[in-house]
Amino acid sequence: MKTPTLETERLILRPISLEDAPGFQKYLYDWEIVKYVSGSITPPYPDNGAEEYIKNTVLPDLEKGEAFGWAIVPKSGEDKGTAIGNIYYRLKKQLPDNDRGFWLARKYHGQGLMTEAISKTQDFMFFEYGWKSFRVKNAIGNHASRRVKEKCGAVLIGEEDKPSAHMPGPTQIWEVTRENWLKLRKKTLTK
């Protein structure tokens, strides 16, 4: 199954492609974002870093059916049509307890966009792809990531004394289950 294009009220979630390299290059290579993102993206950042990352890491995983990867693209505004973040679900257990990763350009934080995007992709992963649960990690100091996880039904299940991405210190481990997501969606939809 290939990554499908999904839409929310404000976003288009399209399969990551080389077309997304300029947006990734512009927004992903911000230390305040990168310090929390997987170690596969490391400084210093060459001018073609995003293109190489997409070409050598993302596209092979998508083509082999080992991941679903969405570029987060606003439907309107200054960055209409440009990737401002991504959501990446690993289908092959390459990283223990780390099945999903995401990032969003810092200028878009605090607007509910990531929660909106993750809600749509979780619907797909649970109700169309058939996952029953998955796990995610974050550095203990990544409060924005923690808040998104809580809003999207993740439950903190533990910590490990290993660094997350480029940040020292313990890492939190979260679990999201179809059952919890279904309860949260029903509660939200009935308000």
Side-chain angles (χ1 to χ4, degrees), residues 1-6 13-16 62 67-71 87 89 124:
M1 181 182 275
K2 300 284 184 196
T3 303
T5 297
L6 305 171
L13 307 171
R14 65 181 182 218
I16 297 170
L62 297 181
F68 287 112
W70 286 274
I87 302 173
Y89 289 84
F124 172 80

PDB file of all heavy atoms in Angstrom, residues 1-6 13-16 62 67-71 87 89 124:
ATOM      1  N   MET A   1       0.853  -1.184   0.000  1.00  0.00           N
ATOM      2  CA  MET A   1       0.000   0.000   0.000  1.00  0.00           C
ATOM      3  C   MET A   1       0.892   1.238   0.000  1.00  0.00           C
ATOM      4  O   MET A   1       1.832   1.330   0.773  1.00  0.00           O
ATOM      5  CB  MET A   1      -0.899  -0.026   1.248  1.00  0.00           C
ATOM      6  CG  MET A   1      -1.834   1.151   1.342  1.00  0.00           C
ATOM      7  SD  MET A   1      -2.847   1.161   2.844  1.00  0.00           S
ATOM      8  CE  MET A   1      -4.196   0.124   2.335  1.00  0.00           C
ATOM      9  N   LYS A   2       0.592   2.162  -0.867  1.00  0.00           N
ATOM     10  CA  LYS A   2       1.351   3.414  -0.972  1.00  0.00           C
ATOM     11  C   LYS A   2       0.738   4.473  -0.052  1.00  0.00           C
ATOM     12  O   LYS A   2      -0.430   4.407   0.309  1.00  0.00           O
ATOM     13  CB  LYS A   2       1.330   3.929  -2.411  1.00  0.00           C
ATOM     14  CG  LYS A   2       1.928   2.967  -3.411  1.00  0.00           C
ATOM     15  CD  LYS A   2       3.412   2.973  -3.327  1.00  0.00           C
ATOM     16  CE  LYS A   2       4.016   2.083  -4.405  1.00  0.00           C
ATOM     17  NZ  LYS A   2       5.377   1.768  -4.165  1.00  0.00           N
ATOM     18  N   THR A   3       1.537   5.467   0.290  1.00  0.00           N
ATOM     19  CA  THR A   3       1.054   6.587   1.092  1.00  0.00           C
ATOM     20  C   THR A   3      -0.023   7.336   0.308  1.00  0.00           C
ATOM     21  O   THR A   3       0.250   7.845  -0.776  1.00  0.00           O
ATOM     22  CB  THR A   3       2.212   7.550   1.432  1.00  0.00           C
ATOM     23  OG1 THR A   3       3.243   6.836   2.095  1.00  0.00           O
ATOM     24  CG2 THR A   3       1.735   8.702   2.302  1.00  0.00           C
ATOM     25  N   PRO A   4      -1.240   7.421   0.849  1.00  0.00           N
ATOM     26  CA  PRO A   4      -2.293   8.154   0.140  1.00  0.00           C
ATOM     27  C   PRO A   4      -2.238   9.650   0.460  1.00  0.00           C
ATOM     28  O   PRO A   4      -1.693  10.060   1.485  1.00  0.00           O
ATOM     29  CB  PRO A   4      -3.569   7.548   0.711  1.00  0.00           C
ATOM     30  CG  PRO A   4      -3.202   7.196   2.114  1.00  0.00           C
ATOM     31  CD  PRO A   4      -1.753   6.761   2.054  1.00  0.00           C
ATOM     32  N   THR A   5      -2.810  10.450  -0.408  1.00  0.00           N
ATOM     33  CA  THR A   5      -2.980  11.872  -0.117  1.00  0.00           C
ATOM     34  C   THR A   5      -4.201  12.004   0.784  1.00  0.00           C
ATOM     35  O   THR A   5      -5.246  11.403   0.519  1.00  0.00           O
ATOM     36  CB  THR A   5      -3.183  12.679  -1.413  1.00  0.00           C
ATOM     37  OG1 THR A   5      -1.996  12.544  -2.211  1.00  0.00           O
ATOM     38  CG2 THR A   5      -3.428  14.149  -1.125  1.00  0.00           C
ATOM     39  N   LEU A   6      -4.054  12.763   1.864  1.00  0.00           N
ATOM     40  CA  LEU A   6      -5.138  13.005   2.818  1.00  0.00           C
ATOM     41  C   LEU A   6      -5.345  14.509   2.926  1.00  0.00           C
ATOM     42  O   LEU A   6      -4.423  15.289   2.673  1.00  0.00           O
ATOM     43  CB  LEU A   6      -4.784  12.432   4.186  1.00  0.00           C
ATOM     44  CG  LEU A   6      -4.395  10.950   4.253  1.00  0.00           C
ATOM     45  CD1 LEU A   6      -3.873  10.601   5.645  1.00  0.00           C
ATOM     46  CD2 LEU A   6      -5.571  10.065   3.877  1.00  0.00           C
ATOM     47  N   LEU A  13      -2.043  16.582   3.071  1.00  0.00           N
ATOM     48  CA  LEU A  13      -1.010  15.651   3.516  1.00  0.00           C
ATOM     49  C   LEU A  13      -0.723  14.751   2.316  1.00  0.00           C
ATOM     50  O   LEU A  13      -1.519  13.876   1.990  1.00  0.00           O
ATOM     51  CB  LEU A  13      -1.490  14.845   4.719  1.00  0.00           C
ATOM     52  CG  LEU A  13      -2.008  15.680   5.889  1.00  0.00           C
ATOM     53  CD1 LEU A  13      -2.655  14.795   6.946  1.00  0.00           C
ATOM     54  CD2 LEU A  13      -0.901  16.515   6.489  1.00  0.00           C
ATOM     55  N   ARG A  14       0.386  15.029   1.639  1.00  0.00           N
ATOM     56  CA  ARG A  14       0.684  14.287   0.414  1.00  0.00           C
ATOM     57  C   ARG A  14       1.916  13.417   0.630  1.00  0.00           C
ATOM     58  O   ARG A  14       2.749  13.716   1.496  1.00  0.00           O
ATOM     59  CB  ARG A  14       0.889  15.249  -0.752  1.00  0.00           C
ATOM     60  CG  ARG A  14       2.108  16.149  -0.611  1.00  0.00           C
ATOM     61  CD  ARG A  14       2.258  17.095  -1.785  1.00  0.00           C
ATOM     62  NE  ARG A  14       3.453  17.903  -1.637  1.00  0.00           N
ATOM     63  CZ  ARG A  14       3.549  19.164  -1.967  1.00  0.00           C
ATOM     64  NH1 ARG A  14       2.521  19.802  -2.492  1.00  0.00           N
ATOM     65  NH2 ARG A  14       4.692  19.822  -1.809  1.00  0.00           N
ATOM     66  N   PRO A  15       2.053  12.350  -0.157  1.00  0.00           N
ATOM     67  CA  PRO A  15       3.250  11.520  -0.027  1.00  0.00           C
ATOM     68  C   PRO A  15       4.506  12.365  -0.234  1.00  0.00           C
ATOM     69  O   PRO A  15       4.558  13.189  -1.156  1.00  0.00           O
ATOM     70  CB  PRO A  15       3.099  10.484  -1.149  1.00  0.00           C
ATOM     71  CG  PRO A  15       1.648  10.471  -1.481  1.00  0.00           C
ATOM     72  CD  PRO A  15       1.140  11.863  -1.189  1.00  0.00           C
ATOM     73  N   ILE A  16       5.488  12.186   0.608  1.00  0.00           N
ATOM     74  CA  ILE A  16       6.738  12.938   0.489  1.00  0.00           C
ATOM     75  C   ILE A  16       7.375  12.622  -0.858  1.00  0.00           C
ATOM     76  O   ILE A  16       7.447  11.470  -1.277  1.00  0.00           O
ATOM     77  CB  ILE A  16       7.709  12.581   1.635  1.00  0.00           C
ATOM     78  CG1 ILE A  16       7.097  12.976   2.984  1.00  0.00           C
ATOM     79  CG2 ILE A  16       9.062  13.272   1.426  1.00  0.00           C
ATOM     80  CD1 ILE A  16       7.866  12.451   4.180  1.00  0.00           C
ATOM     81  N   LEU A  62       9.689   4.427   1.340  1.00  0.00           N
ATOM     82  CA  LEU A  62       8.332   4.473   0.786  1.00  0.00           C
ATOM     83  C   LEU A  62       8.183   3.481  -0.366  1.00  0.00           C
ATOM     84  O   LEU A  62       7.182   2.766  -0.443  1.00  0.00           O
ATOM     85  CB  LEU A  62       7.985   5.889   0.314  1.00  0.00           C
ATOM     86  CG  LEU A  62       7.946   6.994   1.376  1.00  0.00           C
ATOM     87  CD1 LEU A  62       7.568   8.326   0.740  1.00  0.00           C
ATOM     88  CD2 LEU A  62       6.998   6.663   2.503  1.00  0.00           C
ATOM     89  N   ALA A  67       7.404   2.258   4.996  1.00  0.00           N
ATOM     90  CA  ALA A  67       6.978   3.465   5.711  1.00  0.00           C
ATOM     91  C   ALA A  67       5.815   4.115   4.973  1.00  0.00           C
ATOM     92  O   ALA A  67       5.606   3.886   3.779  1.00  0.00           O
ATOM     93  CB  ALA A  67       8.134   4.451   5.822  1.00  0.00           C
ATOM     94  N   PHE A  68       5.071   4.927   5.725  1.00  0.00           N
ATOM     95  CA  PHE A  68       4.138   5.889   5.154  1.00  0.00           C
ATOM     96  C   PHE A  68       4.721   7.242   5.531  1.00  0.00           C
ATOM     97  O   PHE A  68       5.052   7.477   6.704  1.00  0.00           O
ATOM     98  CB  PHE A  68       2.737   5.763   5.756  1.00  0.00           C
ATOM     99  CG  PHE A  68       1.981   4.549   5.311  1.00  0.00           C
ATOM    100  CD1 PHE A  68       1.690   3.539   6.206  1.00  0.00           C
ATOM    101  CD2 PHE A  68       1.542   4.434   4.000  1.00  0.00           C
ATOM    102  CE1 PHE A  68       0.983   2.416   5.809  1.00  0.00           C
ATOM    103  CE2 PHE A  68       0.834   3.316   3.583  1.00  0.00           C
ATOM    104  CZ  PHE A  68       0.553   2.300   4.490  1.00  0.00           C
ATOM    105  N   GLY A  69       4.846   8.138   4.563  1.00  0.00           N
ATOM    106  CA  GLY A  69       5.418   9.451   4.848  1.00  0.00           C
ATOM    107  C   GLY A  69       4.634  10.549   4.177  1.00  0.00           C
ATOM    108  O   GLY A  69       4.423  10.515   2.960  1.00  0.00           O
ATOM    109  N   TRP A  70       4.171  11.503   4.976  1.00  0.00           N
ATOM    110  CA  TRP A  70       3.382  12.617   4.463  1.00  0.00           C
ATOM    111  C   TRP A  70       4.117  13.941   4.634  1.00  0.00           C
ATOM    112  O   TRP A  70       4.643  14.239   5.710  1.00  0.00           O
ATOM    113  CB  TRP A  70       2.064  12.729   5.218  1.00  0.00           C
ATOM    114  CG  TRP A  70       1.063  11.697   4.879  1.00  0.00           C
ATOM    115  CD1 TRP A  70       0.157  11.724   3.843  1.00  0.00           C
ATOM    116  CD2 TRP A  70       0.809  10.465   5.580  1.00  0.00           C
ATOM    117  NE1 TRP A  70      -0.618  10.601   3.860  1.00  0.00           N
ATOM    118  CE2 TRP A  70      -0.237   9.801   4.914  1.00  0.00           C
ATOM    119  CE3 TRP A  70       1.381   9.850   6.688  1.00  0.00           C
ATOM    120  CZ2 TRP A  70      -0.731   8.573   5.316  1.00  0.00           C
ATOM    121  CZ3 TRP A  70       0.897   8.619   7.095  1.00  0.00           C
ATOM    122  CH2 TRP A  70      -0.152   7.993   6.420  1.00  0.00           C
ATOM    123  N   ALA A  71       4.124  14.739   3.590  1.00  0.00           N
ATOM    124  CA  ALA A  71       4.541  16.135   3.687  1.00  0.00           C
ATOM    125  C   ALA A  71       3.312  16.915   4.138  1.00  0.00           C
ATOM    126  O   ALA A  71       2.200  16.673   3.665  1.00  0.00           O
ATOM    127  CB  ALA A  71       5.016  16.645   2.336  1.00  0.00           C
ATOM    128  N   ILE A  87       5.121  13.876   8.605  1.00  0.00           N
ATOM    129  CA  ILE A  87       4.766  12.807   9.547  1.00  0.00           C
ATOM    130  C   ILE A  87       5.217  11.521   8.876  1.00  0.00           C
ATOM    131  O   ILE A  87       4.956  11.303   7.696  1.00  0.00           O
ATOM    132  CB  ILE A  87       3.257  12.754   9.824  1.00  0.00           C
ATOM    133  CG1 ILE A  87       2.764  14.096  10.377  1.00  0.00           C
ATOM    134  CG2 ILE A  87       2.926  11.609  10.791  1.00  0.00           C
ATOM    135  CD1 ILE A  87       1.260  14.191  10.512  1.00  0.00           C
ATOM    136  N   TYR A  89       5.583   7.299   9.466  1.00  0.00           N
ATOM    137  CA  TYR A  89       5.320   6.067  10.204  1.00  0.00           C
ATOM    138  C   TYR A  89       6.228   4.969   9.663  1.00  0.00           C
ATOM    139  O   TYR A  89       6.192   4.674   8.469  1.00  0.00           O
ATOM    140  CB  TYR A  89       3.857   5.626  10.034  1.00  0.00           C
ATOM    141  CG  TYR A  89       2.853   6.488  10.745  1.00  0.00           C
ATOM    142  CD1 TYR A  89       2.371   7.651  10.159  1.00  0.00           C
ATOM    143  CD2 TYR A  89       2.379   6.139  12.001  1.00  0.00           C
ATOM    144  CE1 TYR A  89       1.438   8.444  10.805  1.00  0.00           C
ATOM    145  CE2 TYR A  89       1.445   6.924  12.660  1.00  0.00           C
ATOM    146  CZ  TYR A  89       0.978   8.076  12.055  1.00  0.00           C
ATOM    147  OH  TYR A  89       0.053   8.862  12.700  1.00  0.00           O
ATOM    148  N   PHE A 124      -6.079   7.065   9.418  1.00  0.00           N
ATOM    149  CA  PHE A 124      -5.649   6.169   8.344  1.00  0.00           C
ATOM    150  C   PHE A 124      -4.940   4.944   8.915  1.00  0.00           C
ATOM    151  O   PHE A 124      -5.245   3.799   8.539  1.00  0.00           O
ATOM    152  CB  PHE A 124      -4.726   6.902   7.357  1.00  0.00           C
ATOM    153  CG  PHE A 124      -4.105   5.968   6.360  1.00  0.00           C
ATOM    154  CD1 PHE A 124      -4.836   5.544   5.258  1.00  0.00           C
ATOM    155  CD2 PHE A 124      -2.821   5.492   6.538  1.00  0.00           C
ATOM    156  CE1 PHE A 124      -4.275   4.652   4.342  1.00  0.00           C
ATOM    157  CE2 PHE A 124      -2.252   4.607   5.633  1.00  0.00           C
ATOM    158  CZ  PHE A 124      -2.988   4.180   4.532  1.00  0.00           C
TER     159      PHE A 124
END
